[in-house]
Amino acid sequence: MELRLGLALPTPPFDTNGSCSSSSSSSGGVGGGKKRRCFDEESRVGGGVPKTLHLLVWNTNRRDDGDEPRDLDDNSSSVVLNEEEGLVGWPPVKAWRKKLRRHNGRPNNNRIAAAKNSCGGCRASNSTYVKVKLEGNAIARKIDLSVHRSFESLTATLMRMFDISEEHQQKSFRLAYQDREGDWLLAEDVPWGTFIRSLKCIKLIRSRSC
Amino acid sequence: MHKKTAFSFPDEVLEHVFSFIQSDKDRNSVSMVCKSWYEIERWCRRKVFVGNCYAVSPRMVIKRFPEIRSIELKGKPHFADFNLVPDGWGGYVFPWIVEMAGAVPWLEEIKLKRMVVTDESLELIAKSFKNFKALVLSSCEGFSTDGLAAIAASCKNLKELDLRDCDVDDLSGHLLSHFPDTYTSLVSLNISCLGSDEVSFSTLERLVCRCTNLRTLRLNRAVPLDKIANILRRAPQLVDFGTGTYAADLRPDSYSDLAGAFSSCKELRSLSGFWDVVPDYLPAIYPVCSKLTSLNLSYATIQSPELIKLVSHCPNLQRLLVLDYIEDSGLEVLASSCKNLQELRVFPSDPFGVEPNVSLTEQGLVAVSSGCPKLQSVLYFCRRMSNEALVTVAKNCPNFTRFRLCIIEPRTADYQTLEPLDVGFGAIVQYCKDLQRLSLSGLLTDRVFEYIGTYAKKLEMLSVAFAGDSDLGLHHVLSGCESLRKLEIRDCPFGDKALLANAAKLETMRSLWMSSCAVSFRACKLLGQKMPRLNVEVIDERGPPDSRPESCPVDKLYIYRTVAGSRFDMPPFVWTMEDDPSLQLS
């Protein structure tokens, strides 16, 4: 059952045969990303163009390839879709719901527990900045995890951040993290991927002779 | 010569008449009739709502309305709820508190949404407003239980302390113990978002006991089930109750104690909480179910059969929040049991799972639309949808005011025809003539925006993600939606053309958010230069936008109208496009 668009308003016809490039639909979701691109040549815009200020008169009669942001595909920030890491802020469930999971030590049901916590499931689904504390310092810092791909680069950055320049000093610290369930673990026990996915915040702890 | 007509009233009479006019819109209209009405009105306005805290400065508000008793402010854009607004963007309430502390000492009520509140702000509130009565913080952050303790300790006339969905730093300060023993005025307390704050149960019970006007009490997860009975018995006048964790090892006598406690609450109309539900204890609430109008089970991880049993006990339900564990079968029961249902929200239990974990589809939504004639407001997360279902829903519910559909996988097509869902959403806007709020999802072309621009004349807020093909889509919306106030867009191929062609429209709206779209830095600068009454904020954590070519799209764009000019509290990753007086068009 098709909706018929009965538009009475006399508006200029839009030749939508224009140069709309398929810029940001590079990685499609379900359906293969193959959207139908044929425009009805007679389609008109409902409602009038505002009568006051235009900074640009709407006119797609000429091909305006030059105006299209062709460098879109080169620009990684505009394509948020990243199949591995998941989308930031999607699906739109409120981030705070996962915080209420923080203090629960008794999951009723593993699947449900994971579900409850799933808002924090993909580390990259939230902001990539995490808190970093140095044991003994009152003021925490924040670090952008998205620029790191290994423990080495992360620890190097942390050492710089907290001014720990001496080799022997550096060796006296160990990297610990708090996971979604509220437990503190040593980062050295897990692979990078697991660490990134499950961490909530990081702490540099002084390693005792244990 | 100033001629007074026979129809002019003394100011006191006008003021008395105006006191019956409560709505902001009407008050604004009154103030525009003539200068003398403007003057009278501004002195007797008691409540102010500022939808965007950066649209106006606190000084301007207080200067115009020196006698306000209540202020409501909103800060961050809505997409901040989903982590799209980086930390530190703004929305600080402190400057407002400082201004009001000096100029409006009789302030009674502060309501904030998505703002950064600090302990310093809370302490200043506690110190400055002698007759302070109500603090409502919704989705706020930046403060700890220390700040709240100051409020509890100092505000003798406090009636309402409502922390909804806030991110509070729990310093385990035993918040409730800061209410003095002489304090009895509490009417509404919502501490549901407090995490591990250990609640001293004896303190809570004493507080509940002496505050005989208590109507709303929403506890946090730390309060176990076996403590609920004592609290309910001390507050049988409660209307709105939020449990803590709904789990414990209940002995049989404590279970019946709990059921008895619930049944003693004859006024109870709203229930929430229900963390960690043990299904066996749910029947304890059956005595109150027949009168319940609002039920929030969105934390209750119970399966469809239990949900069905519960829901069938609640024939007067008007509002239901539930997880998708309810499944289509549960929604069918809801449709047949709850004929007064007005609002339904179904949340995903496993939002990041690729495969569906429950049998919740478009069928459940269709069933509810068919069975519940008063349904007005829907928020529905699901994994598949069809145009046919949407058209059916639209025809069943022409009274929708809010329709928010989230199909979890972006760009999901109609599962039956593999077509875009343009026609389905088109039907929604065509049949639901009073629609005020709409959220789109699924596979959508520019056509859906054409329908929206044509039909959605009362639409005030539109949320769009992963939709559209070209600028034409955005143009349809900006040029067609006459009532549009808030537009938020992410990951759509909308660029400069539609935005610049509809620049004037932006001044008629509260705000526009666009992230991961195709708006160039050049266009942002142009808008900022030519539209002095708009703040055009470019938010980009990659670094200064002018370190990249002008044609490069910006990461995030937030445009809002303002009479306060550029703000001064921007973090390093936010740039406001400056006005250029020489380039202004007349």
Side-chain angles (χ1 to χ4, degrees), chain A residues 43-160:
Chain A
S43 73
R44 288 149 193 266
V45 173
V49 175
K51 294 178 184 52
T52 49
L53 176 68
H54 320 293
L55 290 180
L56 181 73
V57 176
W58 184 264
N59 179 359
T60 52
N61 280 330
R62 54 183 171 79
R63 291 196 164 275
D64 42 7
D65 297 16
D67 289 350
E68 291 299 327
R70 288 273 179 240
D71 44 21
L72 204 56
D73 291 329
D74 302 331
N75 199 322
S76 60
S77 76
S78 62
V79 180
V80 181
L81 206 61
N82 180 333
E83 308 293 354
E84 287 165 295
E85 291 180 330
L87 294 165
V88 176
W90 189 268
V93 281
K94 284 190 185 169
W96 63 270
R97 277 175 178 262
K98 75 167 161 54
K99 294 194 159 102
L100 289 157
R101 174 95 184 96
R102 189 194 300 166
H103 301 284
N104 182 25
R106 24 181 187 164
N108 293 334
N109 171 332
N110 279 338
R111 179 185 67 136
I112 291 165
K116 265 281 100 115
N117 199 28
S118 49
C119 297
C122 303
R123 181 69 244 164
S125 294
N126 303 311
S127 165
T128 49
Y129 279 83
V130 294
K131 286 188 197 165
V132 190
K133 263 202 144 115
L134 176 65
E135 195 178 36
N137 270 26
I139 311 281
R141 302 289 303 266
K142 269 204 164 173
I143 190 168
D144 181 359
L145 280 181
S146 65
V147 302
H148 296 284
R149 294 277 177 271
S150 68
F151 285 118
E152 286 75 24
S153 86
L154 175 61
T155 37
T157 305
L158 290 178
M159 293 299 147
R160 268 199 309 278

Side-chain angles (χ1 to χ4, degrees), chain A residues 129-200:
Chain A
Y129 279 83
V130 294
K131 286 188 197 165
V132 190
K133 263 202 144 115
L134 176 65
E135 195 178 36
N137 270 26
I139 311 281
R141 302 289 303 266
K142 269 204 164 173
I143 190 168
D144 181 359
L145 280 181
S146 65
V147 302
H148 296 284
R149 294 277 177 271
S150 68
F151 285 118
E152 286 75 24
S153 86
L154 175 61
T155 37
T157 305
L158 290 178
M159 293 299 147
R160 268 199 309 278
M161 196 179 247
F162 289 107
D163 280 338
I164 305 168
S165 47
E166 307 284 321
E167 261 281 61
H168 70 274
Q169 272 185 327
Q170 288 182 357
K171 285 211 183 349
S172 73
F173 283 98
R174 291 166 98 173
L175 189 63
Y177 70 100
Q178 188 179 35
D179 72 4
R180 292 179 266 119
E181 279 151 23
D183 302 317
W184 283 95
L185 301 105
L186 282 176
E188 62 205 47
D189 292 336
V190 295
W192 175 258
T194 309
F195 168 70
I196 280 292
R197 270 193 301 278
S198 44
L199 78 85
K200 227 168 31 99

Side-chain angles (χ1 to χ4, degrees), chain B residues 408-428:
Chain B
I408 289 176
E409 180 65 35
R411 303 196 186 95
T412 302
D414 176 326
Y415 78 97
Q416 289 173 328
T417 64
L418 297 184
E419 296 201 337
L421 292 170
D422 301 335
V423 165
F425 279 104
I428 295 280

Side-chain angles (χ1 to χ4, degrees), chain B residues 331-332 334-335 341 344 363-373 375 397:
Chain B
L331 290 175
E332 277 155 32
L334 181 69
L341 196 70
L344 174 67
Q363 293 306 317
L365 181 60
V366 171
V368 179
S369 75
S370 163
C372 303
L375 195 63
C397 294

Side-chain angles (χ1 to χ4, degrees), chain A residues 3 5 7 16 20 30 44 48 52 55-56 72 75 77 80 88-90 92 95-96 100 112 115 118 126 129 142, chain B residues 82-83 87 165 221 299 301 349 351-352 408-409 411 430 450-451 454 472 479 490 500-501 504 516 542 552-553:
Chain A
L3 258 193
L5 221 51
L7 299 176
T16 52
C20 303
V30 173
R44 288 149 193 266
T52 49
L55 290 180
L56 181 73
L72 204 56
N75 199 322
S77 76
V80 181
V88 176
W90 189 268
W96 63 270
L100 289 157
I112 291 165
S118 49
N126 303 311
Y129 279 83
K142 269 204 164 173
Chain B
F82 316 124
N83 289 325
D87 278 350
D165 304 353
R221 206 169 176 178
Y299 298 105
T301 52
S349 53
F352 299 97
I408 289 176
E409 180 65 35
R411 303 196 186 95
Q430 189 182 21
E450 192 176 359
Y451 293 140
T454 306
L472 190 54
S479 56
R490 62 164 294 175
L500 295 177
S516 305
R542 295 170 296 171
C552 235

